[in-house]
Amino acid sequence: CAVGARDDFKDVDWRYKMSTHFLAALCIYLVGYRIGEMTLPGGGTVALGVLDPVVSILWIMLVTNAINLIDGRDGVAAGVAALVSATMSYIAWDLGHELIAMLFAALAGSSLGFVPLNLPRARRFLGDSGAYFLGFMIAGLSISGFVDTTGRVPLYIPLVALGLPVLDTGVAFLRRFLEGAHPFKADSDHFHDRMEHLAGYGPLKVT
């Protein structure tokens, strides 16, 4: 959040931001926010073993940046965060994780309360600090709140809930790679940009 706030006032080099995200993800991994084993949709399981720190840290970094990358139009990131958090609050409650469900509900409520102030033309902005905070909280809580009765994490549940921002992030990195562009340099060719330019949607309709 602090690095995002700094970036909101003066551009911070992407390497510094990624390093900070890595350190933050490593810290919560070391205190127990780890995936360990995953439950697959068909009921099978995968033990990550030595790949556990890699997958856990990459998951946190991916979701943190995914929310930030879709924050290219007013109201989009806050609206998506509210929908995702509300969905995962219900799922966490259904799995018996009442505290995580309550935290997700609080995140959904605060995001939803922010949306009216962030609709075009916005009076308040998330900025990188807000987007990073939302993404980091969703990533960490999704690990802690989705341990099933076997003690494994069915990661496909938050992955489906986060489908839009995660898919947009993956497509953006692949597109930049194929175009020979820097994968961490911002551009204006995300899903919300295409909806506005190709479909002719106005800012409010994109939101």
Side-chain angles (χ1 to χ4, degrees):
C1 182
V3 170
R6 172 63 177 168
D7 191 55
D8 289 332
F9 288 97
K10 185 178 180 180
D11 287 343
V12 176
D13 187 82
W14 68 269
R15 288 166 292 192
Y16 182 78
K17 290 189 285 188
M18 289 297 104
S19 298
T20 308
H21 296 172
F22 172 79
L23 290 174
L26 178 62
C27 285
I28 67 168
Y29 174 82
L30 293 175
V31 299
Y33 285 74
R34 56 189 65 186
I35 296 170
E37 289 185 322
M38 292 191 301
T39 301
L40 301 177
T45 61
V46 174
L48 297 177
V50 295
L51 292 178
D52 181 39
V54 176
V55 174
S56 299
I57 290 172
L58 284 179
W59 169 255
I60 295 167
M61 293 180 66
L62 170 66
V63 177
T64 300
N65 283 279
I67 298 298
N68 184 54
L69 286 176
I70 63 169
D71 189 29
R73 290 294 182 275
D74 294 337
V76 175
V80 168
L83 291 172
V84 168
S85 298
T87 300
M88 297 208 284
S89 175
Y90 172 77
I91 297 170
W93 172 79
D94 190 54
L95 289 171
H97 301 289
E98 289 85 1
L99 176 59
I100 303 300
M102 184 175 66
L103 292 173
F104 263 130
L107 199 63
S110 58
S111 299
L112 192 60
F114 183 77
V115 167
L117 302 175
N118 192 226
L119 290 175
R121 300 180 52 169
R123 290 172 290 161
R124 297 290 186 274
F125 301 93
L126 278 178
D128 282 5
S129 56
Y132 285 153
F133 173 78
L134 288 176
F136 191 78
M137 291 296 293
I138 290 172
L141 291 175
S142 68
I143 294 177
S144 181
F146 288 88
V147 179
D148 61 18
T149 54
T150 67
R152 304 181 180 95
V153 177
L155 203 59
Y156 60 89
I157 295 176
L159 188 61
V160 170
L162 286 160
L164 174 63
V166 169
L167 181 61
D168 182 49
T169 302
V171 169
F173 275 78
L174 179 61
R175 170 174 45 76
R176 292 168 187 171
F177 173 77
L178 294 176
E179 292 174 352
H182 197 292
F184 293 102
K185 294 296 184 182
D187 57 28
S188 300
D189 202 16
H190 293 279
F191 287 171
H192 48 265
D193 295 310
R194 295 192 176 206
M195 289 172 64
E196 186 172 16
H197 298 150
L198 300 180
Y201 289 174
L204 189 59
K205 197 169 185 179
V206 170
T207 305

